[in-house]
Amino acid sequence: MREMISILPDEVTTAKLHGYLLGAVGPRPIAFASTLDENGRPNLSPFSFFNVFSANPPILIFSPARRVRDNTTKHTLENCLKTKEVVINVVNFDMVQQMSLSSTEYPEGENEFKKAGLTMLASEVVAPFRVAESPVQFECKVIKVEALGENGGAGNLIFSEVVKVHVDKAILDENGSIDQRKIDLVARMGGNWYSRANEGLFEVPKPLSSLGIGIDAIPAEIRSSTVLTGNDLGMLGNVEMLPTEKEVQEFLASNVELRVIISADDKKLIHSKAQEYLHKNDVLSAWKVLLSN
């Protein structure tokens, strides 16, 4: 049983609660938001309270929160309220250090593009500049800004409707889709930590793509395994049907090592062998190992 601490938001400082939230909710995608102030001066700043919320219409939402220390608002929020336009650029590993540098709170009117050594690229529908180094750039019209509070730490949801998308051809696969390895996105974690998708990338097949048998259909002896984890059982439960007896016997006949393991009748060893296949995303072979005994 885990030993938990329990926290009531009103009983800790906003800064402390902010740390818990950012440390627990991640990795968070980064909206590298480019705006212009009412005098046409560029501003560029990253925000990790961000995601996509609709495809029709295409809506991205990010949230520049009020500063915890003094309850002031950020230039990006002020610009969006006045000009109603923003370009949201995604951030990959090649530009993460420059993105971080741009988050420095320079004085109003200072051009973060220049400070961070990033290239201003003219947009085609909206006025704010795109970040040329970003592999995907979304030109957006701000359709609504919703304040979530008036005190330090309160978010401000900026509803941004995408009016044009720019995608670097170099990150596309042979089918014209964005290749998740080529785009090499980074995301924010707690404190100074980031996550690099390309280094820790793994695939989890969507349950909707097939009707899995479910963990409840797995034999109790396997469900109660001291070797197989919840993730392992989830993979085993996400198959439409189990291998046939013939498939199991053919697999066993062609695998000398497995026959030795089965003959030892060691459940932990058998489950460990099945787990090896699961770590290779070979779920059917894992099932064949488990059903060989």
Side-chain angles (χ1 to χ4, degrees), residues 20-21 26 38 66 77 82 103-104 108 111 118 124 146 151 159 168 175 182 189 207 230 243 248 267:
Y20 284 127
L21 292 170
E38 55 190 345
R66 303 180 75 93
L77 172 63
K82 293 173 182 176
S103 67
T104 301
E108 184 177 4
N111 188 340
L118 294 165
E124 298 177 7
E146 184 172 332
N151 298 318
F159 291 71
D168 186 346
N175 298 314
K182 291 179 180 178
M189 303 290 285
V248 172
K267 300 295 185 187

Side-chain angles (χ1 to χ4, degrees), residues 144-240:
K144 180 172 67 169
V145 178
E146 184 172 332
L148 301 180
E150 298 179 352
N151 298 318
N156 295 275
L157 304 184
I158 299 180
F159 291 71
S160 312
E161 182 169 0
V162 179
V163 293
K164 195 157 193 177
V165 185
H166 306 270
V167 182
D168 186 346
K169 289 182 179 179
I171 67 168
L172 299 178
D173 62 19
E174 62 275 10
N175 298 314
S177 298
I178 294 176
D179 186 308
Q180 294 302 291
R181 296 188 184 277
K182 291 179 180 178
I183 193 172
D184 199 9
L185 294 171
V186 294
R188 286 291 279 119
M189 303 290 285
N192 294 329
W193 292 94
Y194 286 78
S195 173
R196 183 180 181 183
N198 201 15
E199 291 291 313
L201 194 65
F202 62 96
E203 186 177 10
V204 178
K206 294 180 181 179
L208 294 179
S209 64
S210 62
L211 186 61
I213 62 171
I215 291 178
D216 59 336
I218 298 174
E221 176 186 313
I222 299 174
R223 290 204 311 271
S224 60
S225 171
T226 59
V227 175
L228 299 172
T229 67
N231 277 337
D232 294 333
L233 295 177
M235 293 177 72
L236 292 170
N238 194 29
V239 296
E240 292 182 276

Side-chain angles (χ1 to χ4, degrees), residues 2-293:
R2 290 191 178 96
E3 184 178 356
M4 311 291 288
I5 63 169
S6 298
I7 301 160
L8 293 172
D10 292 341
E11 294 182 354
V12 296
T13 65
T14 301
K16 188 73 171 178
L17 182 60
H18 185 255
Y20 284 127
L21 292 170
L22 270 61
V25 181
R28 300 182 306 282
I30 300 168
F32 205 9
S34 168
T35 57
L36 296 177
D37 69 11
E38 55 190 345
N39 297 314
R41 295 177 298 186
N43 180 268
L44 182 65
S45 188
F47 299 93
S48 69
F49 290 180
F50 164 62
N51 221 309
V52 54
F53 288 87
S54 174
N56 185 21
I59 302 293
L60 306 176
I61 300 177
F62 70 103
S63 177
R66 303 180 75 93
R67 294 182 180 91
V68 174
R69 66 176 182 274
D70 59 9
N71 197 25
T72 55
T73 57
K74 298 180 179 178
H75 299 145
T76 300
L77 172 63
E78 296 161 8
N79 292 347
C80 284
L81 286 169
K82 293 173 182 176
T83 69
K84 307 297 184 182
E85 294 184 338
V86 62
V87 176
I88 297 177
N89 307 272
V90 304
V91 179
N92 66 0
F93 186 74
D94 287 344
M95 58 187 291
V96 66
Q97 296 293 343
Q98 290 169 281
M99 177 277 300
S100 179
L101 178 58
S102 75
S103 67
T104 301
E105 294 189 4
Y106 294 109
E108 184 177 4
E110 192 77 64
N111 188 340
E112 288 85 0
F113 279 94
K114 291 183 179 180
K115 287 292 187 182
L118 294 165
T119 307
M120 293 190 298
L121 183 63
S123 296
E124 298 177 7
V125 178
V126 301
F129 294 95
R130 293 178 278 150
V131 176
E133 289 79 2
S134 172
V136 181
Q137 307 136 11
F138 299 98
E139 297 187 36
C140 301
K141 295 284 190 179
V142 175
I143 57 174
K144 180 172 67 169
V145 178
E146 184 172 332
L148 301 180
E150 298 179 352
N151 298 318
N156 295 275
L157 304 184
I158 299 180
F159 291 71
S160 312
E161 182 169 0
V162 179
V163 293
K164 195 157 193 177
V165 185
H166 306 270
V167 182
D168 186 346
K169 289 182 179 179
I171 67 168
L172 299 178
D173 62 19
E174 62 275 10
N175 298 314
S177 298
I178 294 176
D179 186 308
Q180 294 302 291
R181 296 188 184 277
K182 291 179 180 178
I183 193 172
D184 199 9
L185 294 171
V186 294
R188 286 291 279 119
M189 303 290 285
N192 294 329
W193 292 94
Y194 286 78
S195 173
R196 183 180 181 183
N198 201 15
E199 291 291 313
L201 194 65
F202 62 96
E203 186 177 10
V204 178
K206 294 180 181 179
L208 294 179
S209 64
S210 62
L211 186 61
I213 62 171
I215 291 178
D216 59 336
I218 298 174
E221 176 186 313
I222 299 174
R223 290 204 311 271
S224 60
S225 171
T226 59
V227 175
L228 299 172
T229 67
N231 277 337
D232 294 333
L233 295 177
M235 293 177 72
L236 292 170
N238 194 29
V239 296
E240 292 182 276
M241 60 183 66
L242 300 181
T244 64
E245 176 66 23
K246 180 180 178 182
E247 290 172 331
V248 172
Q249 292 306 316
E250 289 176 349
F251 182 75
L252 187 58
S254 64
N255 195 318
V256 176
E257 180 189 4
L258 180 57
R259 292 202 299 272
V260 173
I261 293 174
I262 297 298
S263 64
D265 198 26
D266 185 329
K267 300 295 185 187
K268 287 188 176 180
L269 194 58
I270 294 169
H271 289 185
S272 294
K273 186 62 179 177
Q275 190 176 58
E276 288 181 20
Y277 283 107
L278 290 173
H279 288 173
K280 299 174 185 175
N281 287 320
D282 189 350
V283 181
L284 287 180
S285 291
W287 264 116
K288 291 173 184 177
V289 172
L290 295 169
L291 296 176
S292 295
N293 186 34

